Amino acid sequence: MGVASCFGSPLLNDVLGLGIALTTKIIIDLDGKPYTFDINAPAYNKVKLSWIFLGISLMSSVVVFPLFKFSPPKAFGVVLIYFYIVFMVFSILDEVNVMNIKL
């Protein structure tokens, strides 16, 4: 536990310190105007696709872990790996414009 603390504490400080400062810099423009973006832009389809797959993956873990008393079967690991492969296939197909996903 001490080793995890040695790595985790400085990492948390870096992530929060840099994340808050850089996010604030991005949001506020040099002129003091807020940063605006169009959530329906085609570039955000990849972000939405990622959030959908992440949400489904996390929700399945939230259901499966308590169901199996926090000792999930190996089959669940295989399901998660296949789910990741499906996500990568969708992402690659969307990136090369073979399949234009409209979310």
Side-chain angles (χ1 to χ4, degrees):
M1 182 167 299
V3 173
S5 176
C6 289
F7 288 108
S9 180
L11 180 65
L12 179 67
N13 288 335
D14 289 342
V15 168
L16 289 179
L18 289 173
I20 292 170
L22 293 175
T23 302
T24 308
K25 178 64 178 167
I26 289 172
I27 290 174
I28 297 177
D29 195 19
L30 295 176
D31 298 333
K33 294 180 279 186
Y35 180 76
T36 59
F37 59 92
D38 182 18
I39 194 70
N40 294 320
Y44 287 101
N45 283 338
K46 293 168 187 53
V47 175
K48 292 177 193 175
L49 181 69
S50 299
W51 276 104
I52 289 170
F53 273 92
L54 178 66
I56 293 170
S57 174
L58 289 176
M59 285 298 115
S60 67
S61 294
V62 165
V63 170
V64 169
F65 272 74
L67 192 63
F68 287 97
K69 298 184 181 180
F70 298 96
S71 182
K74 290 181 182 181
F76 182 63
V78 173
V79 167
L80 288 177
I81 291 171
Y82 283 133
F83 192 70
Y84 178 70
I85 291 170
V86 169
F87 165 68
M88 290 303 295
V89 167
F90 273 96
S91 296
I92 291 169
L93 290 176
D94 187 42
E95 187 66 32
V96 295
N97 293 324
V98 171
M99 180 176 65
N100 292 327
I101 300 171
K102 305 289 185 210
L103 300 175

